[in-house]
Amino acid sequence: MSEPLVVMKDVNKHYGDLHVLKDINLEIGKGEVVILIGPSGSGKSTLCRTINRLETFEAGSITIDGKELPQEGKALADLRADVGMVFQSFNLFAHKTILENVTLGPIKVRKTPKAQAEKRAMELLERVGVAHQAAKYPAQLSGGQQQRVAIARSLAMDPKVMLFDEPTSALDPEMINEVLDVMVTLAKEGMTMVVVTHEMGFARKAAQRVVFLADGQIVEQATPEEFFTNPKSDRAKDFLGKILTH
Ligand SMILES: Nc1ncnc2c1ncn2[C@@H]1O[C@H](COP(=O)(O)OP(=O)(O)OP(=O)(O)O)[C@@H](O)[C@H]1O
Ligand SMILES: [Mg+2]
């Protein structure tokens, strides 16, 4: 593996009595694309959210590019800006135009001059295929287009790593591929990515590794080919049996 960018060591998290993350040890290399997969409630979203401290954790450590995640304050805001996150629900600002959605972070957080932020935003919107929609508002775009704007918005911050939590699961089938295509391109360009998804085609095309999570634990890890054709654990076999016959 290349030099690690994200390192999680013995990470444990509880919600009250519920032990949601159990001794998570996970390293993600620079430029690596890792798929997180597992049953509902296994802790995939929680794991993603601890990586940029949207969730706290009680024990263990997480470093990004060698730096421990600060608890709070400006240091946290700075480091969090290095971690892009794209959710199932696109979370665009409804009362801002597409262009404003993409320039807001760079202007407010990175202090990029407006003209420069807009130039870069237009390049990114071009790249995800929605530049002609720049003056519109989110509600005027399809789900697939909104999700591509959400990706462009994340990229505008020049993140070191991008987290995707089921980015296509709220989309109509015909829009899934347009979003996955953008993600495949990003992966090919060398972006470090952690992707929660059941999209096996994407996993095979773009990922180096699948991490299978069950009950808050990493149960097995393998290449996509190996995992989908020859899962080792009974939990993974059972899980794949369910999603394949779904
Ligand atoms: N804010 C919260 N408070 C209490 N429990 C929570 C909270 N968020 C999640 N949980 C619980 O933690 C566990 C892990 O949830 P998480 O959302 O990480 O699972 P997931 O693998 O992403 O599931 P899904 O595939 O359904 O998205 C679940 O049992 C869930 O009910
Ligand atoms: Mg989830």
PDB file of all heavy atoms in Angstrom, residues 35-39 197-198 200 203-204 208-213 219-233 235-241 243-244:
ATOM      1  N   ILE A  35     -14.027   0.569  -0.496  1.00  0.00           N
ATOM      2  CA  ILE A  35     -15.480   0.429  -0.384  1.00  0.00           C
ATOM      3  C   ILE A  35     -15.802  -0.085   1.011  1.00  0.00           C
ATOM      4  O   ILE A  35     -15.196  -1.050   1.477  1.00  0.00           O
ATOM      5  CB  ILE A  35     -16.013  -0.613  -1.402  1.00  0.00           C
ATOM      6  CG1 ILE A  35     -15.611  -0.264  -2.835  1.00  0.00           C
ATOM      7  CG2 ILE A  35     -17.529  -0.790  -1.257  1.00  0.00           C
ATOM      8  CD1 ILE A  35     -16.274   0.943  -3.408  1.00  0.00           C
ATOM      9  N   LEU A  36     -16.746   0.580   1.666  1.00  0.00           N
ATOM     10  CA  LEU A  36     -17.248   0.099   2.961  1.00  0.00           C
ATOM     11  C   LEU A  36     -18.603  -0.523   2.697  1.00  0.00           C
ATOM     12  O   LEU A  36     -19.502   0.120   2.138  1.00  0.00           O
ATOM     13  CB  LEU A  36     -17.477   1.277   3.901  1.00  0.00           C
ATOM     14  CG  LEU A  36     -16.440   1.672   4.924  1.00  0.00           C
ATOM     15  CD1 LEU A  36     -17.033   2.751   5.825  1.00  0.00           C
ATOM     16  CD2 LEU A  36     -15.983   0.493   5.744  1.00  0.00           C
ATOM     17  N   ILE A  37     -18.750  -1.763   3.120  1.00  0.00           N
ATOM     18  CA  ILE A  37     -19.996  -2.451   2.829  1.00  0.00           C
ATOM     19  C   ILE A  37     -20.400  -3.247   4.064  1.00  0.00           C
ATOM     20  O   ILE A  37     -19.546  -3.609   4.879  1.00  0.00           O
ATOM     21  CB  ILE A  37     -19.806  -3.347   1.569  1.00  0.00           C
ATOM     22  CG1 ILE A  37     -21.122  -3.730   0.911  1.00  0.00           C
ATOM     23  CG2 ILE A  37     -18.980  -4.583   1.860  1.00  0.00           C
ATOM     24  CD1 ILE A  37     -20.959  -4.329  -0.488  1.00  0.00           C
ATOM     25  N   GLY A  38     -21.687  -3.475   4.221  1.00  0.00           N
ATOM     26  CA  GLY A  38     -22.145  -4.250   5.378  1.00  0.00           C
ATOM     27  C   GLY A  38     -23.614  -4.023   5.626  1.00  0.00           C
ATOM     28  O   GLY A  38     -24.204  -3.098   5.055  1.00  0.00           O
ATOM     29  N   PRO A  39     -24.217  -4.861   6.483  1.00  0.00           N
ATOM     30  CA  PRO A  39     -25.649  -4.754   6.739  1.00  0.00           C
ATOM     31  C   PRO A  39     -26.043  -3.400   7.317  1.00  0.00           C
ATOM     32  O   PRO A  39     -25.202  -2.686   7.871  1.00  0.00           O
ATOM     33  CB  PRO A  39     -25.920  -5.858   7.771  1.00  0.00           C
ATOM     34  CG  PRO A  39     -24.728  -6.734   7.774  1.00  0.00           C
ATOM     35  CD  PRO A  39     -23.582  -5.935   7.258  1.00  0.00           C
ATOM     36  N   THR A 197     -21.145   1.914  -0.356  1.00  0.00           N
ATOM     37  CA  THR A 197     -22.031   1.623  -1.485  1.00  0.00           C
ATOM     38  C   THR A 197     -22.195   0.124  -1.668  1.00  0.00           C
ATOM     39  O   THR A 197     -21.323  -0.649  -1.275  1.00  0.00           O
ATOM     40  CB  THR A 197     -21.495   2.247  -2.801  1.00  0.00           C
ATOM     41  OG1 THR A 197     -22.457   2.046  -3.842  1.00  0.00           O
ATOM     42  CG2 THR A 197     -20.173   1.630  -3.242  1.00  0.00           C
ATOM     43  N   HIS A 198     -23.318  -0.263  -2.254  1.00  0.00           N
ATOM     44  CA  HIS A 198     -23.518  -1.658  -2.649  1.00  0.00           C
ATOM     45  C   HIS A 198     -23.333  -1.830  -4.146  1.00  0.00           C
ATOM     46  O   HIS A 198     -23.615  -2.889  -4.690  1.00  0.00           O
ATOM     47  CB  HIS A 198     -24.931  -2.129  -2.276  1.00  0.00           C
ATOM     48  CG  HIS A 198     -25.171  -2.180  -0.809  1.00  0.00           C
ATOM     49  ND1 HIS A 198     -26.397  -2.463  -0.259  1.00  0.00           N
ATOM     50  CD2 HIS A 198     -24.331  -1.992   0.234  1.00  0.00           C
ATOM     51  CE1 HIS A 198     -26.301  -2.438   1.057  1.00  0.00           C
ATOM     52  NE2 HIS A 198     -25.058  -2.151   1.371  1.00  0.00           N
ATOM     53  N   MET A 200     -21.723  -2.905  -6.957  1.00  0.00           N
ATOM     54  CA  MET A 200     -20.591  -3.798  -7.213  1.00  0.00           C
ATOM     55  C   MET A 200     -19.828  -3.431  -8.472  1.00  0.00           C
ATOM     56  O   MET A 200     -18.615  -3.606  -8.542  1.00  0.00           O
ATOM     57  CB  MET A 200     -21.073  -5.234  -7.318  1.00  0.00           C
ATOM     58  CG  MET A 200     -21.275  -5.828  -5.951  1.00  0.00           C
ATOM     59  SD  MET A 200     -21.740  -7.529  -6.118  1.00  0.00           S
ATOM     60  CE  MET A 200     -23.481  -7.363  -5.894  1.00  0.00           C
ATOM     61  N   ALA A 203     -17.495  -0.791  -7.530  1.00  0.00           N
ATOM     62  CA  ALA A 203     -16.426  -1.357  -6.695  1.00  0.00           C
ATOM     63  C   ALA A 203     -15.382  -2.049  -7.563  1.00  0.00           C
ATOM     64  O   ALA A 203     -14.182  -1.850  -7.402  1.00  0.00           O
ATOM     65  CB  ALA A 203     -17.012  -2.334  -5.674  1.00  0.00           C
ATOM     66  N   ARG A 204     -15.859  -2.847  -8.500  1.00  0.00           N
ATOM     67  CA  ARG A 204     -14.926  -3.591  -9.356  1.00  0.00           C
ATOM     68  C   ARG A 204     -14.121  -2.673 -10.259  1.00  0.00           C
ATOM     69  O   ARG A 204     -12.948  -2.902 -10.522  1.00  0.00           O
ATOM     70  CB  ARG A 204     -15.694  -4.595 -10.227  1.00  0.00           C
ATOM     71  CG  ARG A 204     -16.167  -5.811  -9.458  1.00  0.00           C
ATOM     72  CD  ARG A 204     -16.537  -6.915 -10.457  1.00  0.00           C
ATOM     73  NE  ARG A 204     -16.436  -8.233  -9.875  1.00  0.00           N
ATOM     74  CZ  ARG A 204     -17.485  -8.944  -9.441  1.00  0.00           C
ATOM     75  NH1 ARG A 204     -18.694  -8.438  -9.521  1.00  0.00           N
ATOM     76  NH2 ARG A 204     -17.313 -10.139  -8.937  1.00  0.00           N
ATOM     77  N   GLN A 208      -9.741  -0.524  -4.896  1.00  0.00           N
ATOM     78  CA  GLN A 208      -8.677  -1.503  -4.667  1.00  0.00           C
ATOM     79  C   GLN A 208      -9.081  -2.490  -3.575  1.00  0.00           C
ATOM     80  O   GLN A 208      -8.573  -3.583  -3.489  1.00  0.00           O
ATOM     81  CB  GLN A 208      -7.380  -0.808  -4.204  1.00  0.00           C
ATOM     82  CG  GLN A 208      -6.620  -0.127  -5.321  1.00  0.00           C
ATOM     83  CD  GLN A 208      -7.195   1.243  -5.636  1.00  0.00           C
ATOM     84  OE1 GLN A 208      -7.368   2.057  -4.742  1.00  0.00           O
ATOM     85  NE2 GLN A 208      -7.517   1.491  -6.891  1.00  0.00           N
ATOM     86  N   ARG A 209      -9.988  -2.065  -2.693  1.00  0.00           N
ATOM     87  CA  ARG A 209     -10.247  -2.874  -1.509  1.00  0.00           C
ATOM     88  C   ARG A 209     -11.699  -2.734  -1.064  1.00  0.00           C
ATOM     89  O   ARG A 209     -12.265  -1.652  -1.157  1.00  0.00           O
ATOM     90  CB  ARG A 209      -9.319  -2.389  -0.383  1.00  0.00           C
ATOM     91  CG  ARG A 209      -9.364  -3.187   0.877  1.00  0.00           C
ATOM     92  CD  ARG A 209      -8.060  -3.039   1.679  1.00  0.00           C
ATOM     93  NE  ARG A 209      -7.627  -1.671   1.838  1.00  0.00           N
ATOM     94  CZ  ARG A 209      -7.426  -1.083   3.032  1.00  0.00           C
ATOM     95  NH1 ARG A 209      -7.616  -1.746   4.150  1.00  0.00           N
ATOM     96  NH2 ARG A 209      -7.010   0.162   3.090  1.00  0.00           N
ATOM     97  N   VAL A 210     -12.262  -3.829  -0.594  1.00  0.00           N
ATOM     98  CA  VAL A 210     -13.577  -3.815   0.039  1.00  0.00           C
ATOM     99  C   VAL A 210     -13.376  -4.139   1.513  1.00  0.00           C
ATOM    100  O   VAL A 210     -12.671  -5.086   1.852  1.00  0.00           O
ATOM    101  CB  VAL A 210     -14.519  -4.865  -0.591  1.00  0.00           C
ATOM    102  CG1 VAL A 210     -15.826  -4.967   0.189  1.00  0.00           C
ATOM    103  CG2 VAL A 210     -14.811  -4.531  -2.054  1.00  0.00           C
ATOM    104  N   VAL A 211     -13.981  -3.325   2.372  1.00  0.00           N
ATOM    105  CA  VAL A 211     -13.942  -3.573   3.810  1.00  0.00           C
ATOM    106  C   VAL A 211     -15.363  -3.928   4.239  1.00  0.00           C
ATOM    107  O   VAL A 211     -16.284  -3.134   4.049  1.00  0.00           O
ATOM    108  CB  VAL A 211     -13.435  -2.322   4.564  1.00  0.00           C
ATOM    109  CG1 VAL A 211     -13.579  -2.485   6.073  1.00  0.00           C
ATOM    110  CG2 VAL A 211     -11.983  -2.026   4.192  1.00  0.00           C
ATOM    111  N   PHE A 212     -15.524  -5.120   4.773  1.00  0.00           N
ATOM    112  CA  PHE A 212     -16.853  -5.581   5.177  1.00  0.00           C
ATOM    113  C   PHE A 212     -17.024  -5.404   6.677  1.00  0.00           C
ATOM    114  O   PHE A 212     -16.242  -5.916   7.472  1.00  0.00           O
ATOM    115  CB  PHE A 212     -17.038  -7.052   4.795  1.00  0.00           C
ATOM    116  CG  PHE A 212     -18.347  -7.636   5.259  1.00  0.00           C
ATOM    117  CD1 PHE A 212     -19.548  -7.244   4.683  1.00  0.00           C
ATOM    118  CD2 PHE A 212     -18.380  -8.580   6.279  1.00  0.00           C
ATOM    119  CE1 PHE A 212     -20.764  -7.768   5.118  1.00  0.00           C
ATOM    120  CE2 PHE A 212     -19.597  -9.119   6.714  1.00  0.00           C
ATOM    121  CZ  PHE A 212     -20.781  -8.711   6.129  1.00  0.00           C
ATOM    122  N   LEU A 213     -18.061  -4.638   7.022  1.00  0.00           N
ATOM    123  CA  LEU A 213     -18.334  -4.303   8.412  1.00  0.00           C
ATOM    124  C   LEU A 213     -19.601  -5.024   8.864  1.00  0.00           C
ATOM    125  O   LEU A 213     -20.585  -5.067   8.128  1.00  0.00           O
ATOM    126  CB  LEU A 213     -18.575  -2.794   8.468  1.00  0.00           C
ATOM    127  CG  LEU A 213     -18.201  -1.984   9.690  1.00  0.00           C
ATOM    128  CD1 LEU A 213     -16.702  -2.038   9.923  1.00  0.00           C
ATOM    129  CD2 LEU A 213     -18.629  -0.530   9.487  1.00  0.00           C
ATOM    130  N   VAL A 219     -14.999  -7.297   9.607  1.00  0.00           N
ATOM    131  CA  VAL A 219     -15.027  -8.762   9.601  1.00  0.00           C
ATOM    132  C   VAL A 219     -14.079  -9.332   8.557  1.00  0.00           C
ATOM    133  O   VAL A 219     -13.410 -10.320   8.789  1.00  0.00           O
ATOM    134  CB  VAL A 219     -16.467  -9.273   9.369  1.00  0.00           C
ATOM    135  CG1 VAL A 219     -16.504 -10.786   9.241  1.00  0.00           C
ATOM    136  CG2 VAL A 219     -17.376  -8.818  10.510  1.00  0.00           C
ATOM    137  N   GLU A 220     -14.038  -8.711   7.382  1.00  0.00           N
ATOM    138  CA  GLU A 220     -13.030  -9.119   6.408  1.00  0.00           C
ATOM    139  C   GLU A 220     -12.745  -8.023   5.410  1.00  0.00           C
ATOM    140  O   GLU A 220     -13.527  -7.081   5.250  1.00  0.00           O
ATOM    141  CB  GLU A 220     -13.405 -10.440   5.726  1.00  0.00           C
ATOM    142  CG  GLU A 220     -14.595 -10.408   4.797  1.00  0.00           C
ATOM    143  CD  GLU A 220     -14.811 -11.798   4.149  1.00  0.00           C
ATOM    144  OE1 GLU A 220     -14.188 -12.091   3.104  1.00  0.00           O
ATOM    145  OE2 GLU A 220     -15.603 -12.567   4.709  1.00  0.00           O
ATOM    146  N   GLN A 221     -11.587  -8.134   4.760  1.00  0.00           N
ATOM    147  CA  GLN A 221     -11.163  -7.175   3.746  1.00  0.00           C
ATOM    148  C   GLN A 221     -10.552  -7.947   2.606  1.00  0.00           C
ATOM    149  O   GLN A 221      -9.828  -8.905   2.825  1.00  0.00           O
ATOM    150  CB  GLN A 221     -10.064  -6.260   4.284  1.00  0.00           C
ATOM    151  CG  GLN A 221     -10.385  -5.582   5.576  1.00  0.00           C
ATOM    152  CD  GLN A 221      -9.349  -4.522   5.922  1.00  0.00           C
ATOM    153  OE1 GLN A 221      -8.935  -3.756   5.061  1.00  0.00           O
ATOM    154  NE2 GLN A 221      -8.953  -4.486   7.172  1.00  0.00           N
ATOM    155  N   ALA A 222     -10.838  -7.519   1.394  1.00  0.00           N
ATOM    156  CA  ALA A 222     -10.279  -8.205   0.224  1.00  0.00           C
ATOM    157  C   ALA A 222     -10.383  -7.287  -0.981  1.00  0.00           C
ATOM    158  O   ALA A 222     -11.007  -6.220  -0.902  1.00  0.00           O
ATOM    159  CB  ALA A 222     -11.049  -9.498  -0.037  1.00  0.00           C
ATOM    160  N   THR A 223      -9.816  -7.702  -2.096  1.00  0.00           N
ATOM    161  CA  THR A 223     -10.048  -6.954  -3.331  1.00  0.00           C
ATOM    162  C   THR A 223     -11.520  -7.147  -3.704  1.00  0.00           C
ATOM    163  O   THR A 223     -12.139  -8.136  -3.285  1.00  0.00           O
ATOM    164  CB  THR A 223      -9.191  -7.495  -4.492  1.00  0.00           C
ATOM    165  OG1 THR A 223      -9.568  -8.856  -4.720  1.00  0.00           O
ATOM    166  CG2 THR A 223      -7.701  -7.411  -4.187  1.00  0.00           C
ATOM    167  N   PRO A 224     -12.097  -6.227  -4.494  1.00  0.00           N
ATOM    168  CA  PRO A 224     -13.504  -6.387  -4.882  1.00  0.00           C
ATOM    169  C   PRO A 224     -13.765  -7.754  -5.528  1.00  0.00           C
ATOM    170  O   PRO A 224     -14.735  -8.439  -5.182  1.00  0.00           O
ATOM    171  CB  PRO A 224     -13.730  -5.248  -5.878  1.00  0.00           C
ATOM    172  CG  PRO A 224     -12.741  -4.205  -5.488  1.00  0.00           C
ATOM    173  CD  PRO A 224     -11.532  -4.947  -4.983  1.00  0.00           C
ATOM    174  N   GLU A 225     -12.893  -8.140  -6.461  1.00  0.00           N
ATOM    175  CA  GLU A 225     -13.071  -9.406  -7.158  1.00  0.00           C
ATOM    176  C   GLU A 225     -13.151 -10.568  -6.162  1.00  0.00           C
ATOM    177  O   GLU A 225     -14.077 -11.390  -6.196  1.00  0.00           O
ATOM    178  CB  GLU A 225     -11.877  -9.603  -8.112  1.00  0.00           C
ATOM    179  CG  GLU A 225     -12.111 -10.593  -9.222  1.00  0.00           C
ATOM    180  CD  GLU A 225     -13.384 -10.323 -10.001  1.00  0.00           C
ATOM    181  OE1 GLU A 225     -13.643  -9.147 -10.322  1.00  0.00           O
ATOM    182  OE2 GLU A 225     -14.128 -11.284 -10.277  1.00  0.00           O
ATOM    183  N   GLU A 226     -12.182 -10.600  -5.258  1.00  0.00           N
ATOM    184  CA  GLU A 226     -12.100 -11.659  -4.260  1.00  0.00           C
ATOM    185  C   GLU A 226     -13.323 -11.623  -3.335  1.00  0.00           C
ATOM    186  O   GLU A 226     -13.944 -12.657  -3.071  1.00  0.00           O
ATOM    187  CB  GLU A 226     -10.801 -11.440  -3.453  1.00  0.00           C
ATOM    188  CG  GLU A 226     -10.546 -12.414  -2.325  1.00  0.00           C
ATOM    189  CD  GLU A 226     -10.114 -13.797  -2.822  1.00  0.00           C
ATOM    190  OE1 GLU A 226      -9.768 -13.908  -4.017  1.00  0.00           O
ATOM    191  OE2 GLU A 226     -10.153 -14.739  -2.014  1.00  0.00           O
ATOM    192  N   PHE A 227     -13.675 -10.431  -2.879  1.00  0.00           N
ATOM    193  CA  PHE A 227     -14.774 -10.330  -1.912  1.00  0.00           C
ATOM    194  C   PHE A 227     -16.097 -10.765  -2.533  1.00  0.00           C
ATOM    195  O   PHE A 227     -16.857 -11.522  -1.928  1.00  0.00           O
ATOM    196  CB  PHE A 227     -14.891  -8.904  -1.358  1.00  0.00           C
ATOM    197  CG  PHE A 227     -16.011  -8.765  -0.362  1.00  0.00           C
ATOM    198  CD1 PHE A 227     -15.861  -9.234   0.941  1.00  0.00           C
ATOM    199  CD2 PHE A 227     -17.225  -8.206  -0.741  1.00  0.00           C
ATOM    200  CE1 PHE A 227     -16.903  -9.144   1.859  1.00  0.00           C
ATOM    201  CE2 PHE A 227     -18.274  -8.117   0.171  1.00  0.00           C
ATOM    202  CZ  PHE A 227     -18.112  -8.583   1.471  1.00  0.00           C
ATOM    203  N   PHE A 228     -16.369 -10.285  -3.745  1.00  0.00           N
ATOM    204  CA  PHE A 228     -17.682 -10.581  -4.327  1.00  0.00           C
ATOM    205  C   PHE A 228     -17.791 -12.011  -4.865  1.00  0.00           C
ATOM    206  O   PHE A 228     -18.871 -12.568  -4.928  1.00  0.00           O
ATOM    207  CB  PHE A 228     -18.034  -9.569  -5.429  1.00  0.00           C
ATOM    208  CG  PHE A 228     -18.270  -8.184  -4.895  1.00  0.00           C
ATOM    209  CD1 PHE A 228     -17.503  -7.107  -5.318  1.00  0.00           C
ATOM    210  CD2 PHE A 228     -19.267  -7.950  -3.948  1.00  0.00           C
ATOM    211  CE1 PHE A 228     -17.718  -5.828  -4.821  1.00  0.00           C
ATOM    212  CE2 PHE A 228     -19.488  -6.677  -3.435  1.00  0.00           C
ATOM    213  CZ  PHE A 228     -18.708  -5.616  -3.871  1.00  0.00           C
ATOM    214  N   THR A 229     -16.665 -12.590  -5.257  1.00  0.00           N
ATOM    215  CA  THR A 229     -16.754 -13.957  -5.795  1.00  0.00           C
ATOM    216  C   THR A 229     -16.459 -15.018  -4.744  1.00  0.00           C
ATOM    217  O   THR A 229     -16.950 -16.138  -4.840  1.00  0.00           O
ATOM    218  CB  THR A 229     -15.787 -14.170  -6.989  1.00  0.00           C
ATOM    219  OG1 THR A 229     -14.471 -13.826  -6.564  1.00  0.00           O
ATOM    220  CG2 THR A 229     -16.189 -13.342  -8.180  1.00  0.00           C
ATOM    221  N   ASN A 230     -15.655 -14.656  -3.735  1.00  0.00           N
ATOM    222  CA  ASN A 230     -15.231 -15.680  -2.792  1.00  0.00           C
ATOM    223  C   ASN A 230     -15.132 -15.130  -1.361  1.00  0.00           C
ATOM    224  O   ASN A 230     -14.047 -15.115  -0.770  1.00  0.00           O
ATOM    225  CB  ASN A 230     -13.865 -16.215  -3.269  1.00  0.00           C
ATOM    226  CG  ASN A 230     -13.428 -17.423  -2.480  1.00  0.00           C
ATOM    227  OD1 ASN A 230     -14.244 -18.097  -1.846  1.00  0.00           O
ATOM    228  ND2 ASN A 230     -12.132 -17.691  -2.480  1.00  0.00           N
ATOM    229  N   PRO A 231     -16.280 -14.668  -0.816  1.00  0.00           N
ATOM    230  CA  PRO A 231     -16.229 -14.130   0.549  1.00  0.00           C
ATOM    231  C   PRO A 231     -15.853 -15.237   1.532  1.00  0.00           C
ATOM    232  O   PRO A 231     -16.237 -16.386   1.336  1.00  0.00           O
ATOM    233  CB  PRO A 231     -17.654 -13.634   0.786  1.00  0.00           C
ATOM    234  CG  PRO A 231     -18.500 -14.414  -0.159  1.00  0.00           C
ATOM    235  CD  PRO A 231     -17.639 -14.696  -1.360  1.00  0.00           C
ATOM    236  N   LYS A 232     -15.105 -14.852   2.570  1.00  0.00           N
ATOM    237  CA  LYS A 232     -14.588 -15.877   3.483  1.00  0.00           C
ATOM    238  C   LYS A 232     -15.527 -16.145   4.668  1.00  0.00           C
ATOM    239  O   LYS A 232     -15.756 -17.296   5.034  1.00  0.00           O
ATOM    240  CB  LYS A 232     -13.229 -15.433   4.056  1.00  0.00           C
ATOM    241  CG  LYS A 232     -12.141 -15.244   3.015  1.00  0.00           C
ATOM    242  CD  LYS A 232     -11.498 -16.579   2.664  1.00  0.00           C
ATOM    243  CE  LYS A 232     -10.365 -16.405   1.662  1.00  0.00           C
ATOM    244  NZ  LYS A 232     -10.850 -15.964   0.326  1.00  0.00           N
ATOM    245  N   SER A 233     -16.028 -15.064   5.273  1.00  0.00           N
ATOM    246  CA  SER A 233     -16.798 -15.242   6.514  1.00  0.00           C
ATOM    247  C   SER A 233     -18.252 -15.589   6.215  1.00  0.00           C
ATOM    248  O   SER A 233     -18.788 -15.232   5.164  1.00  0.00           O
ATOM    249  CB  SER A 233     -16.738 -13.959   7.341  1.00  0.00           C
ATOM    250  OG  SER A 233     -17.342 -12.901   6.612  1.00  0.00           O
ATOM    251  N   ARG A 235     -20.731 -14.291   7.748  1.00  0.00           N
ATOM    252  CA  ARG A 235     -21.473 -13.024   7.735  1.00  0.00           C
ATOM    253  C   ARG A 235     -21.481 -12.410   6.344  1.00  0.00           C
ATOM    254  O   ARG A 235     -22.499 -11.924   5.874  1.00  0.00           O
ATOM    255  CB  ARG A 235     -20.840 -12.010   8.710  1.00  0.00           C
ATOM    256  CG  ARG A 235     -20.968 -12.317  10.192  1.00  0.00           C
ATOM    257  CD  ARG A 235     -22.402 -12.390  10.672  1.00  0.00           C
ATOM    258  NE  ARG A 235     -23.253 -11.260  10.308  1.00  0.00           N
ATOM    259  CZ  ARG A 235     -23.559 -10.279  11.113  1.00  0.00           C
ATOM    260  NH1 ARG A 235     -23.081 -10.240  12.333  1.00  0.00           N
ATOM    261  NH2 ARG A 235     -24.363  -9.316  10.721  1.00  0.00           N
ATOM    262  N   ALA A 236     -20.327 -12.418   5.702  1.00  0.00           N
ATOM    263  CA  ALA A 236     -20.237 -11.823   4.363  1.00  0.00           C
ATOM    264  C   ALA A 236     -21.005 -12.664   3.338  1.00  0.00           C
ATOM    265  O   ALA A 236     -21.689 -12.119   2.470  1.00  0.00           O
ATOM    266  CB  ALA A 236     -18.775 -11.662   3.954  1.00  0.00           C
ATOM    267  N   LYS A 237     -20.896 -13.962   3.460  1.00  0.00           N
ATOM    268  CA  LYS A 237     -21.635 -14.842   2.530  1.00  0.00           C
ATOM    269  C   LYS A 237     -23.131 -14.597   2.641  1.00  0.00           C
ATOM    270  O   LYS A 237     -23.838 -14.464   1.645  1.00  0.00           O
ATOM    271  CB  LYS A 237     -21.340 -16.315   2.850  1.00  0.00           C
ATOM    272  CG  LYS A 237     -19.989 -16.770   2.368  1.00  0.00           C
ATOM    273  CD  LYS A 237     -19.723 -18.216   2.766  1.00  0.00           C
ATOM    274  CE  LYS A 237     -18.242 -18.505   2.603  1.00  0.00           C
ATOM    275  NZ  LYS A 237     -17.804 -19.700   3.295  1.00  0.00           N
ATOM    276  N   ASP A 238     -23.596 -14.532   3.883  1.00  0.00           N
ATOM    277  CA  ASP A 238     -25.006 -14.311   4.152  1.00  0.00           C
ATOM    278  C   ASP A 238     -25.452 -12.956   3.589  1.00  0.00           C
ATOM    279  O   ASP A 238     -26.471 -12.844   2.907  1.00  0.00           O
ATOM    280  CB  ASP A 238     -25.209 -14.376   5.672  1.00  0.00           C
ATOM    281  CG  ASP A 238     -26.650 -14.130   6.057  1.00  0.00           C
ATOM    282  OD1 ASP A 238     -27.509 -14.872   5.543  1.00  0.00           O
ATOM    283  OD2 ASP A 238     -26.907 -13.190   6.832  1.00  0.00           O
ATOM    284  N   PHE A 239     -24.636 -11.930   3.857  1.00  0.00           N
ATOM    285  CA  PHE A 239     -24.941 -10.570   3.401  1.00  0.00           C
ATOM    286  C   PHE A 239     -24.988 -10.504   1.872  1.00  0.00           C
ATOM    287  O   PHE A 239     -25.933  -9.962   1.290  1.00  0.00           O
ATOM    288  CB  PHE A 239     -23.892  -9.600   3.948  1.00  0.00           C
ATOM    289  CG  PHE A 239     -23.987  -8.226   3.370  1.00  0.00           C
ATOM    290  CD1 PHE A 239     -24.976  -7.347   3.775  1.00  0.00           C
ATOM    291  CD2 PHE A 239     -23.085  -7.803   2.394  1.00  0.00           C
ATOM    292  CE1 PHE A 239     -25.076  -6.074   3.226  1.00  0.00           C
ATOM    293  CE2 PHE A 239     -23.179  -6.543   1.835  1.00  0.00           C
ATOM    294  CZ  PHE A 239     -24.173  -5.683   2.257  1.00  0.00           C
ATOM    295  N   LEU A 240     -23.977 -11.064   1.224  1.00  0.00           N
ATOM    296  CA  LEU A 240     -23.935 -11.024  -0.245  1.00  0.00           C
ATOM    297  C   LEU A 240     -25.090 -11.820  -0.840  1.00  0.00           C
ATOM    298  O   LEU A 240     -25.677 -11.414  -1.846  1.00  0.00           O
ATOM    299  CB  LEU A 240     -22.593 -11.543  -0.758  1.00  0.00           C
ATOM    300  CG  LEU A 240     -21.436 -10.561  -0.601  1.00  0.00           C
ATOM    301  CD1 LEU A 240     -20.119 -11.198  -1.017  1.00  0.00           C
ATOM    302  CD2 LEU A 240     -21.672  -9.291  -1.413  1.00  0.00           C
ATOM    303  N   GLY A 241     -25.432 -12.928  -0.207  1.00  0.00           N
ATOM    304  CA  GLY A 241     -26.586 -13.709  -0.655  1.00  0.00           C
ATOM    305  C   GLY A 241     -27.827 -12.845  -0.683  1.00  0.00           C
ATOM    306  O   GLY A 241     -28.613 -12.882  -1.641  1.00  0.00           O
ATOM    307  N   ILE A 243     -28.003  -9.369  -0.777  1.00  0.00           N
ATOM    308  CA  ILE A 243     -28.034  -8.248  -1.732  1.00  0.00           C
ATOM    309  C   ILE A 243     -28.048  -8.736  -3.180  1.00  0.00           C
ATOM    310  O   ILE A 243     -28.563  -8.077  -4.048  1.00  0.00           O
ATOM    311  CB  ILE A 243     -26.928  -7.164  -1.517  1.00  0.00           C
ATOM    312  CG1 ILE A 243     -25.522  -7.711  -1.738  1.00  0.00           C
ATOM    313  CG2 ILE A 243     -27.033  -6.489  -0.173  1.00  0.00           C
ATOM    314  CD1 ILE A 243     -24.491  -6.580  -1.851  1.00  0.00           C
ATOM    315  N   LEU A 244     -27.517  -9.926  -3.420  1.00  0.00           N
ATOM    316  CA  LEU A 244     -27.507 -10.442  -4.797  1.00  0.00           C
ATOM    317  C   LEU A 244     -28.873 -10.930  -5.241  1.00  0.00           C
ATOM    318  O   LEU A 244     -29.209 -10.840  -6.421  1.00  0.00           O
ATOM    319  CB  LEU A 244     -26.470 -11.559  -4.956  1.00  0.00           C
ATOM    320  CG  LEU A 244     -25.014 -11.080  -4.843  1.00  0.00           C
ATOM    321  CD1 LEU A 244     -24.041 -12.233  -4.823  1.00  0.00           C
ATOM    322  CD2 LEU A 244     -24.684 -10.098  -5.970  1.00  0.00           C
TER     323      LEU A 244
END
